[in-house]
Amino acid sequence: MGRHSRKSPGPTRGDTGAAAGAAVERGTGRRGRDPATPPPRDGHGPSGDAPQVRGGHPEQHEPGGGWGTGPQQRPGPAGPAGQEVFRAGQAALARQRAAERAAAGRRPAEPETGGDAPLIPGPRREFLEAFDTTPSRPAPPLPPEETDRTSAEADGPADGRTEGDGRRTRGGKGRAFTGIAAAAVTTVLAVVVAGQVARDSDGPADGPRPAGTDRQNSEDASRSVDRTTPQVKQQEVKTLSYAQKMATAFPLAPDLRASGAFEAVQGLAKAPGTGHRYRYRIDVEKGLGLDSGLFAEAVQKTLNDDRSWAHNGAMTFERISSGEPDFVITLASPGTTAVWCAKSGLDTTEDNVSCDSAATDRVMINAYRWAQGAATFGPDKMLTYRQMLINHEVGHRLGHNHVSCRTPGALAPVMQQQTKTLDLDGVKCRPNPWVYPGS
């Protein structure tokens, strides 16, 4: 580095006198000063009298702190003899410091350079030792290029010494800055850890939680404790009455042919009357998808109604599921109904009607008619059509044949083929489900 802060080449550390031709005061160890030169301020002379410093830059010393207080005086007693004594004392002090460093595990200090030059006081020792730490193991020596780079970045050693090739040694001030940086990093880590602990103890933070966060905690945090869960109003399932079910049409294809296998409706429905008792069983073809319980209930109620064949106690009907019945009332698909009716020489495919298969024990009720009704009754008379369908086919089993309506506008006889027509030979009658409708 050049001495760009000096106006002219200054004296070396070995110079103890004034410039040539100037008067020298003997025995004081101080250089003479030209009377025209103004007196020094704050212990420092003009640029020609400035002490040699690190890097060639004048150091700006402030009162107090690690650099001492007040004007700096040149060390050592006055005179040449005093200089020798002072240097001997400094060498002894350096050896003592080196021994202390060796005992403490530190690297020994570098030997003094410029033996004849007075020493420039550096920072107070206690200021530097506050940041000195004993290394766990000695650092390996740096290569020359790394040493140059490290020396250029650091402020230099605390005592201002340099090696013979001009490179600076890594002194106490560099370690001081290292200690300060380590302390700052430790403080930042302590703040971060303390904040994390506080956040974990206080509950979930405002930011997004990590992927591993417990699900239960996330749900608790997302809803208020005082907020009540909205109650879903359960819709009451309205139970249809027997009459309502009997008045409802059910979906079923007119050309359906189901499994052909039958299943008896279980249970016993005792005969309510005192007349001749007919015991019957109800079979329903598997795969229809119709309510077999509703069908069984309708048969029992219809046959034992006083307007039906049980009028005036002439007979009574009892449903069984085991034992030998008098006949079997069978609810079957149109295809299966046609098969069983054909066994008695009857063709039900033309109008998709029901029959009493007299050659067998089955009274066949076409499931399509039971589910969909007939145009002669219309959709608003499903209940009465189903009652007519039961009474008409059981009437055939009881020995009754077809009868036609004779009076226009009158109720059609129950044994008339009301599924096909209510207008027979120009006489139009009204639909009727009962054997004795006026009773």
Side-chain angles (χ1 to χ4, degrees), residues 377 381 403-416 418 422 427-439:
F377 280 73
K381 291 182 174 61
V403 177
S404 299
C405 178
R406 299 298 182 185
T407 305
L411 292 174
V414 72
M415 295 307 297
Q416 182 173 327
Q418 297 181 62
L422 288 174
V427 179
K428 187 174 182 180
C429 297
R430 292 180 292 138
N432 172 43
W434 302 110
V435 180
Y436 303 96
S439 59

Side-chain angles (χ1 to χ4, degrees), residues 28-45:
T28 62
R30 300 175 63 88
R31 289 178 291 182
R33 183 174 64 245
D34 190 347
T37 304
R41 293 170 296 182
D42 297 334
H44 295 276

